[in-house]
Amino acid sequence: TDQRRVRGFETLSTMDMSSLFDDRKTIGFGLTGFGLFFMFLGVMMLFDRALLAMGNVLFLAGTTTIIGMDSTYNFFFRRDRLRGTTCFFLGIAIVLYGWPVVGMIVEAFGFVNLFGNFFPIALKFAQSLPVVGHLFMMLEKIPSVAVIMEKMKMKQESFPV
């Protein structure tokens, strides 16, 4: 068997499933999940500034922990994503400054610009879930959602991530 390494990744013949979810990635997914939970809770509590700020910090820390510093920097500061990055970080700053509603609107615009290409992938994953998958399949049958998904698929095919 071939035991060489390519750019720090093991070849398929020597890679096991435990390397896909090591402790660092598990902690990163936990931080990201708590970040999303605190942002959701902050919105439910009528845009509570402290919960939103904590959610933003945990989300960014989790993302950085999952994919690493270099990949995070390369993801956020690619030339074609600068508008989304600017809006996302500007929204976080506006939330911290004390205008949570305006900040979350700006941040949501940046979030959609940054992570919009991943929405079709997330929807397909959600459709494969055992208990709630059929609900996500019904979501794609709504005409307005189907049009948006078709545009996202075309955009994703023309500009792969």
Side-chain angles (χ1 to χ4, degrees):
T1 61
D2 189 14
Q3 295 290 329
R4 62 190 163 134
R5 292 180 172 252
V6 180
R7 290 189 188 181
F9 294 104
E10 295 180 2
T11 60
L12 289 176
S13 62
T14 61
M15 188 171 80
D16 59 351
M17 290 303 289
S18 65
S19 67
L20 294 176
F21 292 107
D22 58 352
D23 290 340
R24 183 179 55 90
K25 288 184 181 177
T26 303
I27 291 169
F29 282 120
L31 288 172
T32 303
F34 276 117
L36 293 173
F37 173 72
F38 278 112
M39 280 193 267
F40 173 75
L41 199 60
V43 170
M44 290 291 110
M45 298 290 180
L46 301 176
F47 293 95
D48 182 52
R49 188 175 104 181
L51 288 173
L52 293 172
M54 190 181 307
N56 285 325
V57 169
L58 288 171
F59 177 79
L60 289 175
T63 303
T64 304
T65 305
I66 292 169
I67 63 175
M69 287 295 290
D70 292 336
S71 297
T72 302
Y73 180 81
N74 292 334
F75 176 79
F76 280 110
F77 295 105
R78 278 185 27 194
R79 184 183 272 303
D80 60 332
R81 293 187 178 144
L82 280 179
R83 181 179 63 178
T85 300
T86 303
C87 289
F88 186 72
F89 287 116
L90 184 65
I92 291 173
I94 292 171
V95 166
L96 292 174
Y97 183 70
W99 295 343
V101 176
V102 175
M104 285 304 291
I105 291 171
V106 173
E107 188 178 338
F109 179 77
F111 187 84
V112 169
N113 277 299
L114 283 171
F115 299 103
N117 291 342
F118 300 117
F119 290 153
I121 296 167
L123 181 62
K124 289 298 178 191
F125 172 74
Q127 288 174 346
S128 69
L129 293 174
V131 177
V132 294
H134 67 282
L135 295 174
F136 288 104
M137 286 183 195
M138 291 181 354
L139 182 69
E140 201 172 50
K141 294 179 182 176
I142 299 171
S144 58
V145 174
V147 169
I148 292 170
M149 290 301 296
E150 191 61 37
K151 287 182 182 180
M152 289 180 135
K153 286 178 187 174
M154 289 177 8
K155 184 178 179 182
Q156 186 179 15
E157 290 170 2
S158 60
F159 300 108
V161 176

